[in-house]
Amino acid sequence: MVFGDCTVPRCRGLEQAEKATSLSDLLFESPDAWLNRPLLRFRNPNGSWTRLSRAEVQQAVLRVGAWLESKGVKAGDRVALLGHNCPEWFIADFAILRMGAVTVPAYFTDPPEAVQYVINDADVSAIFVEEGEQLEKLQGVNLPLLAFHGAENSVAAIGRDKRWDGALTSPAPERSALATLIYTSGTTGHPKGVMLTHDNLLTDVAAALGGVAVFEDDLFLSFLPTSHSFERTVGHFLPTACGSEIAYAEAVTTLLRDMPDVKPTIMISVPRLYEKIYAGVQTKLAEGPPIKRKLFALAQKLGMERFELKQKGGELGSIKALLWNILDKIVNAKLREKMGGRIRGFISGGAALHPDIARFLLAADIPVLPGYGLTETSPVLSCNRYGAIKPETVGPALPSVEFRVAADGELLVKGPMVMQGYWRKPEATAEVLDRDGWLHTGDIVEVDADGYIKIVDRKKEIMVLSNGENVPPAVIEQHLVQSPAILQAMVVADNRPDVVALVVPEIEGFKRLWQSAMNAPLPDNWQQDARVHGWMLEEMHNKEHDLSSFMQVKRFAFVEKEWTQNDGLLTPTLKLKRRRITELYADMIEGLYPKER
């Protein structure tokens, strides 16, 4: 597909998803021509890459499925999966699905108590687990375990062992059968197991492909946890349906090395990746000569004009086109090369992408398609289309998705991808799922005349100042993290007189920005320095310039330690766990509200 073409051709993967009777059909009921094509790619310890063909993966899945049967696992039983993205995760998942059991992914970033809560709540019968740290989380668990790797008894070894050939006897499940329990991130309280059937997920794969076509020659680079519904549907099931190849990044920290190596055409990511790319560019511009900043600004202006014209089917005039080609080579080409040079689409989800960051990428001829969904909806509900991108939105509804906006602005959704409910929690299910099938998303939205959705904030996270003004925290935080000096930010405002923030500085970016602005080194005690605080507040206000005055941060405090998943302060899709952060920094927050106010 050419960027700028708003038509969505009917790709072969869409046919695969529509005709499949179970998720395992996406792997097994595929054209013979795909059998010898590479399906999975992974990096070896020596730095080289190994590819597995579809036929090899099919054989491994059937053998591992037979191992499950040998342990007494039967259709409908729950089987847990704990580990980083890799071919063994893929093989174990499809083995579970093929023999009619239910996959229960656990997050590898979760502590032992959270992992064991999921295992106990789902009442699992067996566990596939990565060696080392992940295996240690299962101490005291008395269930059949199969490690990912190892000499004899592992997913990798059994997947190669011909002695298991022909041993699997379970028939493939029907579309209506339960396929997976995906536990919600648990920003408050215990997570809930979202029940999704084969039909829910197959329908969502088809809906996604009805909005954004994917082809046999596409190459995905996988780095978001496959245990999360976004990566599992769009970066796991969808490319399998399309005959595409999936390459596994070694880690999030190796992306800058893996992207040029793999040269992906499609990547699935949450906004944090794009925010870091943007912040990195801004930092380099701040420390570079003025001419570099002027060329960048001109390239962005002309690039956005080009993008908007192409949206309408037009092109730049000959003089501007020539200037664009020159600026593109000088300014944008190196950035695209760092991403592998072949990106056909960044699909953004998990949270709203700030429109300025989307425009920055689009102006650099890097296609980014903001979308939206929930674990409870398998998950994708909407996505921008090539040639019809509105950066401030998450796009229109995908095929088979119905949207309705409640009186208070909450988005309601209906469609065959909506969950069956929460595992063994009928009361919690009734709170969000109406009897007539409408799911209450909890997101406050605005809808334009073309049906494009703009996410305002989470209904439960809207904060109300003591004067009655409504404050959407995520909107403010999106503005703040555009600064190269800010790594993370969380605002506080509920029942307070004004907005304050906790700020995790990006140390190197902070130093460079200060040096550029003040022409002086950063003071040794800069976290307490009044001049630095005044300068930082001004930088924050510059980023908030388009927000109402009551939404702008009035005071802030520096937080020295980055918030991570490992310390329980971020969800797997890198959203803030606000309650946990608020509790941890309660004294610091109180100090931001002087007693005399």
Side-chain angles (χ1 to χ4, degrees):
M1 179 184 294
V2 178
F3 177 56
D5 179 7
C6 63
T7 60
V8 182
R10 187 175 177 82
C11 62
R12 205 162 186 177
L14 178 55
E15 297 172 4
Q16 294 291 109
E18 288 176 339
K19 73 180 183 181
T21 56
S22 73
L23 287 161
S24 59
D25 284 354
L26 301 180
L27 176 64
F28 289 99
E29 300 299 322
S30 55
D32 290 343
W34 290 3
L35 291 178
N36 293 320
R37 289 176 58 86
L39 175 58
L40 306 178
R41 186 192 303 192
F42 62 97
R43 191 186 286 277
N44 299 303
N46 65 5
S48 63
W49 291 85
T50 292
R51 287 171 159 175
L52 298 176
S53 70
R54 180 174 288 254
E56 290 174 312
V57 174
Q58 287 176 349
Q59 289 173 339
V61 165
L62 293 174
R63 292 165 182 164
V64 174
W67 178 89
L68 275 176
E69 280 189 341
S70 75
K71 297 301 177 182
V73 177
K74 57 187 182 300
D77 286 352
R78 276 75 58 202
V79 179
L81 237 174
L82 175 62
H84 290 75
N85 300 11
C86 62
E88 288 72 27
W89 206 107
F90 182 104
I91 290 165
D93 186 29
F94 271 91
I96 297 166
L97 296 168
R98 169 60 185 81
M99 56 89 59
V102 178
T103 302
V104 182
Y107 294 110
F108 58 76
T109 53
D110 276 352
E113 58 271 19
V115 170
Q116 294 197 24
Y117 172 83
V118 167
I119 289 170
N120 292 328
D121 188 67
D123 191 19
V124 304
S125 300
I127 304 172
F128 292 99
V129 59
E130 183 181 344
E131 302 84 335
E133 179 186 357
Q134 302 306 319
L135 184 57
E136 291 174 2
K137 295 176 182 179
L138 301 179
Q139 290 183 4
V141 175
N142 186 23
L143 289 168
L145 299 176
L146 187 63
F148 281 6
H149 309 97
E152 296 181 4
N153 194 26
S154 68
V155 173
I158 290 174
R160 295 190 297 265
D161 192 340
K162 295 182 180 180
R163 290 176 296 177
W164 290 94
D165 285 348
L168 178 63
T169 61
S170 299
E174 298 296 323
R175 281 185 78 116
S176 59
L178 186 63
T180 191
L181 296 180
I182 302 180
Y183 279 75
T184 56
S185 303
T187 53
T188 58
H190 282 304
K192 300 181 288 290
V194 175
M195 297 190 291
L196 299 175
T197 65
H198 290 260
D199 184 61
N200 288 147
L201 290 158
L202 287 168
T203 301
D204 202 56
V205 169
L209 290 172
V212 180
V214 174
F215 304 100
E216 298 170 29
D217 58 354
D218 274 317
L219 174 55
F220 287 64
L221 179 58
S222 172
F223 75 96
L224 287 182
T226 321
S227 47
H228 189 269
S229 59
F230 183 35
E231 179 68 25
R232 183 117 168 273
T233 294
V234 186
H236 179 75
F237 293 130
L238 187 150
T240 304
C242 297
S244 308
E245 185 179 359
I246 304 168
Y248 293 103
E250 193 170 347
V252 174
T253 54
T254 67
L255 275 179
L256 290 180
R257 180 192 66 179
D258 293 339
M259 282 194 284
D261 261 13
V262 173
K263 295 179 171 52
T265 61
I266 295 179
M267 283 184 65
I268 315 301
S269 182
V270 293
R272 190 68 191 128
L273 172 65
Y274 315 120
E275 291 167 359
K276 285 189 172 184
I277 292 171
Y278 178 83
V281 170
Q282 293 299 315
T283 297
K284 287 190 175 181
L285 288 172
E287 63 186 11
I291 185 62
K292 191 174 182 179
R293 292 192 287 274
K294 289 181 179 179
L295 287 173
F296 174 80
L298 183 57
Q300 282 279 295
K301 181 180 179 181
L302 196 56
M304 185 49 59
E305 182 180 344
R306 173 179 178 269
F307 163 75
E308 290 172 348
L309 282 170
K310 289 176 76 68
Q311 294 277 98
K312 302 172 184 177
E315 297 284 350
L316 290 171
S318 56
I319 302 296
K320 285 186 175 181
L322 177 61
L323 179 58
W324 159 255
N325 287 333
I326 295 170
L327 287 170
D328 187 49
K329 290 177 182 178
I330 295 172
V331 177
N332 301 322
K334 289 183 179 179
L335 180 60
R336 291 197 298 268
E337 283 303 312
K338 287 182 179 179
M339 301 174 187
R342 298 201 310 150
I343 287 290
R344 191 170 69 79
F346 274 125
I347 300 176
S348 180
L353 178 65
H354 194 286
D356 286 353
I357 295 177
R359 292 187 187 100
F360 151 71
L361 292 168
L362 293 166
D365 202 22
I366 301 171
V368 60
L369 304 174
Y372 166 76
L374 303 167
T375 302
E376 289 85 347
T377 58
S378 302
V380 189
L381 294 169
S382 69
C383 189
N384 277 271
R385 274 55 155 190
Y386 290 99
I389 301 172
K390 295 187 179 183
E392 69 280 5
T393 77
V394 292
L398 291 172
S400 72
V401 176
E402 294 181 66
F403 281 154
R404 189 171 77 188
V405 180
D408 62 357
E410 182 182 9
L411 180 66
L412 310 183
V413 60
K414 190 175 185 179
M417 67 287 297
V418 172
M419 68 171 182
Q420 306 307 295
Y422 294 119
W423 176 252
R424 295 175 176 171
K425 287 182 169 58
E427 296 84 5
T429 300
E431 288 178 6
V432 299
L433 193 57
D434 289 346
R435 290 183 179 179
D436 57 0
W438 286 99
L439 179 79
H440 292 246
T441 67
D443 288 307
I444 302 298
V445 303
E446 297 172 356
V447 185
D448 71 12
D450 298 321
Y452 279 64
I453 303 292
K454 181 180 179 181
I455 305 297
V456 176
D457 214 319
R458 289 291 294 168
K459 183 176 180 178
K460 291 183 179 179
E461 291 183 357
I462 292 289
M463 298 178 179
V464 182
L465 292 173
S466 54
N467 64 3
E469 295 282 9
N470 288 342
V471 173
V475 172
I476 303 171
E477 290 153 3
Q478 283 180 345
H479 281 68
L480 297 180
V481 297
Q482 288 186 78
S483 170
I486 298 177
L487 180 65
Q488 295 168 306
M490 189 189 86
V491 303
V492 177
D494 215 18
N495 297 314
R496 305 283 192 166
D498 42 38
V499 178
V500 300
L502 301 178
V503 171
V504 180
E506 205 299 309
I507 304 299
E508 292 305 314
F510 198 102
K511 290 178 180 177
R512 292 183 184 123
L513 204 61
W514 169 271
Q515 177 72 39
S516 174
M518 309 301 288
N519 196 27
L522 198 62
D524 292 337
N525 63 336
W526 58 273
Q527 292 94 335
Q528 290 78 40
D529 191 289
R531 291 178 304 155
V532 173
H533 271 253
W535 170 80
M536 183 75 260
L537 198 59
E538 185 178 346
E539 168 71 5
M540 293 163 75
H541 288 167
N542 287 337
K543 298 303 178 186
E544 301 171 313
H545 66 89
D546 59 339
L547 298 179
S548 300
S549 59
F550 69 84
M551 292 171 60
Q552 296 181 6
V553 173
K554 301 301 186 290
R555 291 171 302 285
F556 74 94
F558 284 121
V559 175
E560 292 187 7
K561 189 174 181 290
E562 180 181 352
W563 303 320
T564 68
Q565 298 173 64
N566 290 335
D567 58 21
L569 301 179
L570 296 182
T571 72
T573 51
L574 308 184
K575 296 189 186 79
L576 302 174
K577 290 192 175 183
R578 296 184 186 278
R579 189 177 71 176
R580 296 283 297 276
I581 295 173
T582 300
E583 290 172 352
L584 185 62
Y585 297 97
D587 292 343
M588 185 179 287
I589 291 169
E590 287 305 316
L592 291 170
Y593 289 99
K595 298 298 182 185
E596 62 269 17
R597 290 182 61 86

